Amino acid sequence: MSHETQPVLFSGIQPSGHLTIGHYAGALRNWVRLQHEYDCLFCIVDLHAITVRQDPATFAERCLSFAAQYIAVGIDPQASTIFLQSHVPAHTELTWLLNCNAYVGELSRMTQFKAKTQGKTDKTIGVGLFDYPVLMAADILLYQTQLVPVGADQKQHLELTRDIAIRMNHHYGPLFTVPEGFFPEVGARIMSLQDPANKMSKSDPNANNYVALLDSPETMRKKIRRAVTDATPGITYEPDARPGVANLLNIYGAFTGESPAALAERYADKGNAALKHDLAEVIVEALQPFQQRYHDLMTNRDYLVALLRQGAQSAQQRALPTLRATYERMGFLPA
Ligand code: ATP
Ligand code: LTN
């Protein structure tokens, strides 16, 4: 199918910390799976990343590394548009127009905002962190996006995006496609290995909480071996009663396509050690070709830089009609 007739898919990841098996399970593997059925834009949302302070000395390099990881995981750069958010000014421009149609009340209810500001005072909470979901809405709405494949933690942000789109369509006439989320059945929320009550996060100061896609095989094996489980004999899939074991089964299922319940049956008479051993091997084996491709790509920086430039040009062109229509409908004098 040619791109003109395909529905648009948009998704993005912040270039902060290290990409983890959580991002693989919740987002990346679905991008790969869906990329040929949709007209896809995969963004490295660098403007979102600076809502938490980033080290300027390493930030650009991390953005390039994320682009290489998108391709290494299986995104075909010929078929999809890969680009950096900061290279396409339409994203920040539309954000302002949306800001004036979004409410402090709805942004104050965002659980990610509440979690990231917990224990902080107004004097130290950045305005960017508060406005983060509006920039995300702009990312999505600029391209008349129909599908947004993300992990379960993004459900609320997607609902807000839909609310803003519906509200503006109502006020100014049809402007935006109202997008749908795509949440995987297995792996939509991978939990921390040491604390299965919390989400696995790539910016976690404790590296034992996550497996990074670029960890060495030995590090991966060690982190899985040390994952917190419980003392109950045998393996069962009981997310509430046995969150640590359930998390390992979810990760396993995300990598092999099996259901966590079926895996639990297969391992019913075995122990945690056997499950961890096999899971580590599944992850190591799946990521070995990814790591090889990644290292090859990183030796060709000119290629990556050119690809991102091309992607940004194409994205900006595609974003302009919606941006201009929004200005126009809001009554601005055309430039
Ligand atoms: P951070 O951990 O740095 O605060 P984040 O990982 O929550 O950030 P992003 O890096 O922007 O945020 O997440 C990118 C995508 O990966 C989103 O679709 C998100 O839902 C998904 N994702 C992130 N962590 C997980 C996880 N633990 N399980 C499943 N999906 C995840
Ligand atoms: N907020 C998202 C990242 C993100 C995104 C987007 C995802 C920014 N813009 C547009 C999908 C579509 C997160 O996962 N933290």
Side-chain angles (χ1 to χ4, degrees):
M1 218 198 296
S2 80
H3 275 341
E4 286 80 74
T5 54
Q6 287 178 322
V8 176
L9 179 154
F10 186 101
S11 198
I13 299 182
Q14 309 177 71
S16 54
H18 307 272
L19 281 176
T20 72
I21 54 175
H23 300 90
Y24 177 77
L28 291 166
R29 78 191 164 103
N30 301 308
W31 299 6
V32 173
R33 228 166 52 181
L34 297 164
Q35 67 179 326
H36 298 299
E37 291 163 47
Y38 288 82
D39 177 7
C40 298
L41 296 119
F42 296 117
C43 191
I44 295 151
V45 290
D46 50 358
L47 295 168
H48 276 108
I50 62 160
T51 53
V52 171
R53 205 174 290 289
Q54 300 294 326
D55 173 13
T58 55
F59 191 45
E61 187 63 19
R62 171 129 20 78
C63 291
L64 210 62
S65 160
F66 270 50
Q69 291 180 69
Y70 281 15
I71 300 167
V73 84
I75 299 300
D76 175 358
Q78 301 309 320
S80 298
T81 303
I82 300 174
F83 69 104
L84 292 178
Q85 189 184 32
S86 65
H87 288 181
V88 180
H91 289 244
T92 38
E93 272 191 86
L94 185 66
T95 299
W96 184 254
L97 304 182
L98 302 190
N99 268 337
C100 299
N101 289 276
Y103 299 119
V104 168
E106 58 192 353
L107 291 178
S108 305
R109 283 196 292 275
M110 294 294 118
T111 50
Q112 183 177 299
F113 175 70
K114 288 196 257 186
K116 291 205 170 179
T117 55
Q118 204 179 19
K120 292 191 177 169
T121 65
D122 283 358
K123 282 192 178 161
T124 57
I125 298 170
V127 173
L129 205 55
F130 184 67
D131 201 30
Y132 178 114
V134 181
L135 177 58
M136 176 164 165
D139 296 341
I140 295 167
L141 299 179
L142 265 181
Y143 300 97
Q144 304 296 335
T145 302
Q146 296 195 15
L147 199 71
V148 184
V150 280
D153 62 317
Q154 295 304 309
K155 218 169 219 166
Q156 200 186 22
H157 287 161
L158 204 70
E159 270 312 307
L160 177 79
T161 302
R162 290 168 55 87
D163 289 347
I164 294 174
I166 292 167
R167 184 178 305 149
M168 290 184 72
N169 286 346
H170 176 74
H171 277 304
Y172 305 109
L175 273 171
F176 305 120
T177 301
V178 181
E180 301 284 340
F182 177 96
F183 307 96
E185 251 171 66
V186 177
R189 189 170 167 82
I190 299 299
M191 310 309 278
S192 158
L193 295 177
Q194 293 299 314
D195 176 11
N198 279 314
K199 193 187 78 146
M200 181 180 286
S201 162
K202 63 172 147 50
S203 319
D204 200 313
N206 179 0
N208 285 323
N209 283 339
Y210 59 78
V211 172
L213 298 184
L214 290 170
D215 274 345
S216 71
E218 258 336 289
T219 303
M220 289 182 182
R221 290 189 181 103
K222 195 175 70 193
K223 288 181 178 177
I224 296 289
R225 211 184 308 129
R226 289 185 184 167
V228 168
T229 47
D230 55 50
T232 309
I235 299 295
T236 51
Y237 184 62
E238 295 173 87
D240 291 332
R242 307 186 67 188
V245 173
N247 192 36
L248 297 180
L249 291 167
N250 281 330
I251 298 170
Y252 204 137
F255 272 88
T256 63
E258 291 161 277
S259 85
L263 282 163
E265 261 175 53
R266 179 138 66 83
Y267 281 91
D269 301 329
K270 297 185 181 162
N272 290 330
L275 174 65
K276 287 177 172 178
H277 171 272
D278 291 1
L279 171 59
E281 293 317 309
V282 161
I283 297 172
V284 165
E285 199 178 312
L287 292 179
Q288 198 266 333
F290 159 83
Q291 295 194 350
Q292 183 61 49
R293 279 196 294 272
Y294 169 77
H295 292 299
D296 290 348
L297 283 160
M298 286 304 278
T299 61
N300 198 347
R301 303 166 60 87
D302 292 349
Y303 165 75
L304 293 171
V305 169
L307 187 92
L308 288 173
R309 250 189 221 134
Q310 221 175 52
Q313 266 170 18
S314 158
Q316 178 74 6
Q317 282 314 312
R318 294 182 56 169
L320 279 179
T322 298
L323 180 65
R324 291 208 176 113
T326 312
Y327 276 123
E328 203 178 298
R329 292 280 187 76
M330 290 178 78
F332 285 86
L333 187 68

